Amino acid sequence: MVDVRLRAVGKRFGDTVVLDGVDAHFDDGAFVVLVGSSGCGKSTLLRCIAGLEEVTAGTIEFGGHDVTHAAPRDRDVAMVFQSYALYPHMTVRDNLAFGLALRKTPREVVDARVQEVARMLSIEHLLDRHPRALSGGQRQRVAMGRAIVRRPAVFMFDEPLSNLDPGLRNQVRVEIRRLHDELGATSIYVTHDQVEAMTLADRLVVLDRGRVQQIGAPLEVYRRPANRFVAGFLGSPAMNFLRGHIARDGDALAVALGEGVQVPLAGAQVAALAPGREVELGIRPQDVVRDDDGPLALQVELVETLGSHVHVHGRIGAASFVAAFEGHQGPARGEVLRLRVTLPHVFDPASGVALR
Ligand SMILES: Nc1ncnc2c1ncn2[C@@H]1O[C@H](COP(=O)(O)OP(=O)(O)O)[C@@H](O)[C@H]1O
Ligand SMILES: [Mg+2]
């Protein structure tokens, strides 16, 4: 069992900078999720931590030991990839046992561990089958079993659910978290899927273009995004952004959006905000309520009914805007909804940094 520390980790391929000054600390036993859009450097960072790529700057420590230049086998990690890469000519049992047999583990130990892992993953009845006779979900379970059976200090997952059907993806996701809780080893999990990120992580690392944007508990990152990128990346539908400037609203402050529309800000948010300052107002679709005295007028263009929620798409002035409401009763197209904002976010329009 180890904690993992990254100090100023950088990686370039030729002139292309893929990771830039990544600093992070992951507690022993934590479930860490690296999340970001495709191409932002998630897999590269995971591979650097595993030792499959050599970093070009910075250091990596496992349990206080510098492993920056250690070979993967000396880091005691196991990886589960999107492609399962099972040995096709071997049974499930032999696929599970292979890594241990290579390490010259005694036969009885191998058999006992394979049985134990098969039980944990509910694949005991599949042990004598070959991979071609398994469903996608079963193969993925075997791939996880192959990692678990070695009892590594750190588990690494690179988009392990991407090849599964949506229903199965949800089911295996829950199983992965349950296994993590049972095994207690540090897990580092890469995904571009914000639902996986929010639900699995103890600690979320949001990456964009090779740089860490924010690290924190999922809810903390969701509720207090450090910048516009994080704010727009997490949450569904995505946060709305409206341009405006800071204005006085009696004793308090507000964001003025033009044509007399002002969205009040709560006291705690105002420290950095001088009246007149240009800002970008961020509003999650879920953070509005219908209120006849509310400042916003949403011109309804399209209503999506999801069963438990409705998404109302339309315009506020010239800007497009989405609101989400619980229930299944939506407004009609062409209606104008008055809205009050329950949780406004304010960003610097140039840097994107959250202002509070
Ligand atoms: N071996 C490599 N040589 C050159 N460029 C690479 C190599 N591996 C990854 N990259 C580049 O690094 C960037 C990040 O890739 P990757 O870490 O795979 O992103 P992600 O997993 O977030 O989708 C991409 O632009 C990719 O083209
Ligand atoms: Mg990747």
Side-chain angles (χ1 to χ4, degrees):
M1 306 284 155
V2 299
D3 64 328
V4 176
R5 186 177 291 281
L6 312 178
R7 292 186 211 267
V9 165
K11 175 69 181 174
R12 44 173 78 222
F13 293 104
D15 288 339
T16 312
V17 177
V18 173
L19 296 173
D20 188 9
V22 175
D23 286 306
H25 178 253
F26 309 143
D27 286 336
D28 180 16
F31 200 120
V32 178
V33 176
L34 310 179
V35 69
S37 340
S38 180
C40 72
K42 305 179 295 293
S43 295
T44 304
L45 182 56
L46 195 72
R47 292 170 58 78
C48 286
I49 300 171
L52 299 170
E53 295 281 0
E54 180 87 1
V55 302
T56 46
T59 58
I60 300 173
E61 287 171 23
F62 277 24
H65 297 287
D66 189 328
V67 297
T68 312
H69 303 290
R73 56 179 305 159
D74 298 327
R75 299 191 191 196
D76 197 14
V77 300
M79 287 191 76
V80 181
F81 299 96
Q82 175 180 348
S83 57
Y84 322 122
L86 301 177
Y87 298 108
H89 57 283
M90 289 186 193
T91 61
V92 167
R93 185 189 308 280
D94 291 341
N95 265 284
L96 291 175
F98 187 69
L100 289 177
L102 269 189
R103 285 173 177 71
K104 307 220 188 324
T105 312
R107 185 62 205 247
E108 319 82 69
V109 176
V110 175
D111 288 346
R113 288 237 204 127
V114 167
Q115 272 306 330
E116 183 195 8
V117 165
R119 180 192 53 76
M120 288 172 89
L121 292 164
S122 309
I123 52 173
E124 290 146 297
H125 59 298
L126 304 175
L127 283 172
D128 295 317
R129 290 207 198 161
H130 283 79
R132 66 173 172 276
L134 303 178
S135 70
Q138 291 169 333
R139 283 180 210 172
Q140 185 56 298
R141 233 166 268 168
V142 177
M144 280 194 280
R146 218 169 36 171
I148 293 168
V149 84
R150 284 181 34 212
R151 297 188 182 167
V154 183
F155 284 105
M156 304 207 171
F157 300 87
D158 194 345
E159 312 235 10
L161 308 184
S162 300
N163 285 344
L164 304 181
D165 295 335
L168 193 54
R169 211 178 291 164
N170 292 344
Q171 185 189 330
V172 180
R173 187 182 79 218
V174 172
E175 282 173 21
I176 287 178
R177 180 66 219 205
R178 207 172 270 153
L179 276 171
H180 169 87
D181 292 343
E182 189 169 342
L183 296 165
T186 310
S187 296
I188 307 178
Y189 186 105
V190 161
T191 184
H192 66 272
D193 182 301
Q194 53 163 308
V195 175
E196 286 174 32
M198 289 297 295
T199 54
L200 284 170
D202 298 319
R203 212 150 174 76
L204 201 56
V205 180
V206 185
L207 288 171
D208 183 39
R209 286 169 290 172
R211 289 175 183 233
V212 173
Q213 303 297 311
Q214 191 168 2
I215 301 181
L219 258 188
E220 175 192 326
V221 176
Y222 179 84
R223 295 173 66 107
R224 292 174 66 84
N227 59 41
R228 204 199 129 130
F229 175 84
V230 176
F233 186 80
L234 291 179
S236 176
M239 188 182 277
N240 301 286
F241 295 101
L242 301 169
R243 290 299 282 262
H245 66 268
I246 299 298
R248 290 201 187 281
D249 178 24
D251 289 342
L253 293 177
V255 177
L257 298 172
E259 298 179 19
V261 178
Q262 292 209 359
V263 174
L265 297 176
Q269 291 171 302
V270 302
L273 303 173
R277 178 173 182 164
E278 298 277 321
V279 293
E280 201 151 18
L281 176 65
I283 305 170
R284 291 201 188 280
Q286 295 81 3
D287 292 339
V288 292
V289 290
R290 294 180 70 163
D291 178 345
D292 288 340
D293 298 322
L296 300 178
L298 174 62
Q299 177 85 39
V300 177
E301 293 178 343
L302 178 82
V303 178
E304 294 178 308
T305 307
L306 287 87
S308 59
H309 287 79
V310 289
H311 294 169
V312 180
H313 299 257
R315 284 183 188 282
I316 290 178
S320 57
F321 195 96
V322 186
F325 301 105
E326 281 185 18
H328 46 78
Q329 204 73 7
R333 184 177 166 173
E335 230 181 285
V336 175
L337 296 187
R338 301 300 303 198
L339 302 175
R340 180 163 54 81
V341 181
T342 54
L343 180 58
H345 299 263
V346 183
F347 303 94
D348 181 82
S351 67
V353 170
L355 303 171
R356 32 188 174 235

